Amino acid sequence: MKNQSSVTAFIMQGLSIHPQLQILFFLIFLIIYVMALLGNLAIIAAILSSPRLHKPMYFFLFHLAVVDIICTTTIMPKMLENLATITSTISFSGCIAQLYSFTWCLGAEMVLFTVMAYDRYVAICYPLHYSTMMNKRVCLGLSAVVTIIAVTNSWVNTGLIVRLTFCGPNIINHFFCEIPPLLALSCSSVKINEIMVFTADIFLAMGDFLLTCLSYCFILKAIMKIRTREGKKKAFSTCSSHLIVVSLYYSTVIYTYIRPASSYAFDRDKIVAALYTLVTPTLNPLVYTLRNKEVKVALKKVMSYFGR
């Protein structure tokens, strides 16, 4: 798909136009990036090194950690570079590559949340049939579905962006190349793009969110049958923490992509985008492992190995 664009590079406006805030933002987001990177790498190392974690639940948690690393690495290094330099530019091809990688991560993460909720639903509601219902073939099949949906979503939406004409201005009012700010800069009609983005938002974001909530409704119903008060409290605490992170992720994504390009308010939308691109990948390792004894044991072994 050939792009008829006269723009060869974009200028990233970033989170703020005030130079005095650049150093503060650089330090904050450097810390967030390091935390996200180390947290997800620790999850990956723990799952790979511990045979006890070679189960469906951790198989999908491994995938989530990989997606979170790709997501933050797609955005953060360039963002930190722009905060540290005077000229915050990105080439047209670099912008499209960043857009493709992020859109892939966005689709993969949404479907993964749904798959992980389904895995927990089967484990809690059908414990005797869990090993059969979530066998190796099913897990690999679900993993393939996640990849296919993510790649399809990314190819379609990135391909439609490439077909647009960008003749100026070339200032992106955002901290990375995302669909909404690019649509706002297009000199050609973005109607088809908006239709596809809206469709993807309905089926991927809202569809996956409803399926995830449905899974947790059945899980909570099963939890109510637990006789001990302590067991109920622990199960509710775990489920509620998962739901908080999932709800934060889906609600911000739906809010961003459900609207037409003409209604974007980028000063506010940049803060919303930071929640699902930077905050959620940092919280995921904590939320999904904080109350998990098996992961804690595996992490201690990994830490002790590196501490020698």
Side-chain angles (χ1 to χ4, degrees):
M1 288 173 286
K2 188 178 179 181
N3 179 65
Q4 304 294 329
S5 177
S6 60
V7 172
T8 58
F10 292 104
I11 299 171
M12 307 294 293
Q13 187 168 304
L15 284 166
S16 174
I17 59 173
H18 302 291
Q20 62 268 26
L21 295 175
Q22 298 291 84
I23 296 174
L24 177 62
F25 280 138
F26 180 86
L27 292 174
I28 290 172
F29 289 106
L30 178 62
I31 292 169
I32 290 174
Y33 180 50
V34 171
M35 286 176 61
L37 204 60
L38 292 178
N40 286 292
L41 283 173
I43 295 290
I44 291 171
I47 292 172
L48 289 177
S49 63
S50 176
R52 292 184 65 183
L53 300 184
H54 295 174
K55 301 174 184 177
M57 175 185 174
Y58 305 110
F59 175 75
F60 297 119
L61 184 59
F62 174 89
H63 281 65
L64 183 65
V66 171
V67 171
D68 282 339
I69 289 173
I70 295 172
C71 180
T72 51
T73 304
T74 295
I75 297 168
M76 290 298 288
K78 187 62 182 176
M79 180 184 175
L80 292 171
E81 179 191 329
N82 290 340
L83 285 170
T85 57
I86 298 173
T87 55
S88 305
T89 60
I90 186 170
S91 67
F92 184 86
S93 58
C95 184
I96 295 302
Q98 188 182 65
L99 174 68
Y100 176 83
S101 298
F102 169 72
T103 309
W104 181 89
C105 292
L106 194 68
E109 186 135 353
M110 285 188 287
V111 183
L112 267 173
F113 277 137
T114 306
V115 169
M116 291 173 73
Y118 173 72
D119 172 71
R120 291 298 81 207
Y121 158 72
V122 175
I124 293 172
C125 298
Y126 300 97
L128 299 178
H129 303 284
Y130 179 72
S131 58
T132 305
M133 294 176 70
M134 296 299 293
N135 57 46
K136 186 177 180 180
R137 183 179 294 179
V138 172
C139 291
L140 291 174
L142 289 171
S143 177
V145 169
V146 171
T147 304
I148 291 168
I149 291 175
V151 169
T152 303
N153 176 62
S154 190
W155 266 110
V156 171
N157 284 293
T158 306
L160 288 173
I161 290 288
V162 172
R163 292 174 65 91
L164 296 176
T165 301
F166 296 92
C167 51
N170 66 336
I171 299 175
I172 298 178
N173 190 4
H174 215 308
F175 58 89
F176 73 103
C177 289
E178 194 177 14
I179 293 174
L182 286 174
L183 293 184
L185 293 180
S186 174
C187 300
S188 53
S189 174
V190 297
K191 196 69 179 177
I192 296 175
N193 298 73
E194 289 181 338
I195 291 171
M196 288 307 300
V197 168
F198 181 82
T199 303
D201 203 33
I202 292 294
F203 284 98
L204 272 180
M206 295 183 73
D208 282 322
F209 182 56
L210 289 173
L211 287 172
T212 302
C213 289
L214 184 63
S215 295
Y216 276 106
C217 284
F218 285 114
I219 290 170
L220 292 173
K221 186 179 178 181
I223 290 172
M224 293 301 294
K225 297 178 182 178
I226 297 174
R227 293 183 178 181
T228 62
R229 186 176 179 181
E230 189 63 31
K232 282 184 180 180
K233 185 178 178 182
K234 184 179 178 181
F236 269 120
S237 177
T238 302
C239 287
S240 61
S241 59
H242 290 188
L243 271 175
I244 289 169
V245 173
V246 168
S247 298
L248 174 67
Y249 188 80
Y250 280 116
S251 60
T252 50
V253 170
I254 292 168
Y255 166 80
T256 300
Y257 288 93
I258 202 78
R259 298 166 298 150
S262 58
S263 66
Y264 296 138
F266 292 109
D267 289 336
R268 182 178 65 246
D269 293 351
K270 283 185 282 189
I271 298 171
V272 174
L275 293 176
Y276 60 81
T277 58
L278 309 176
V279 175
T280 303
T282 308
L283 290 178
N284 281 339
L286 295 172
V287 170
Y288 283 96
T289 62
L290 204 58
R291 296 179 178 276
N292 194 308
K293 291 181 180 180
E294 289 181 319
V295 176
K296 284 181 180 179
V297 170
L299 283 172
K300 285 180 181 178
K301 289 182 179 178
V302 171
M303 297 301 176
S304 63
Y305 175 81
F306 285 106
R308 291 175 185 175

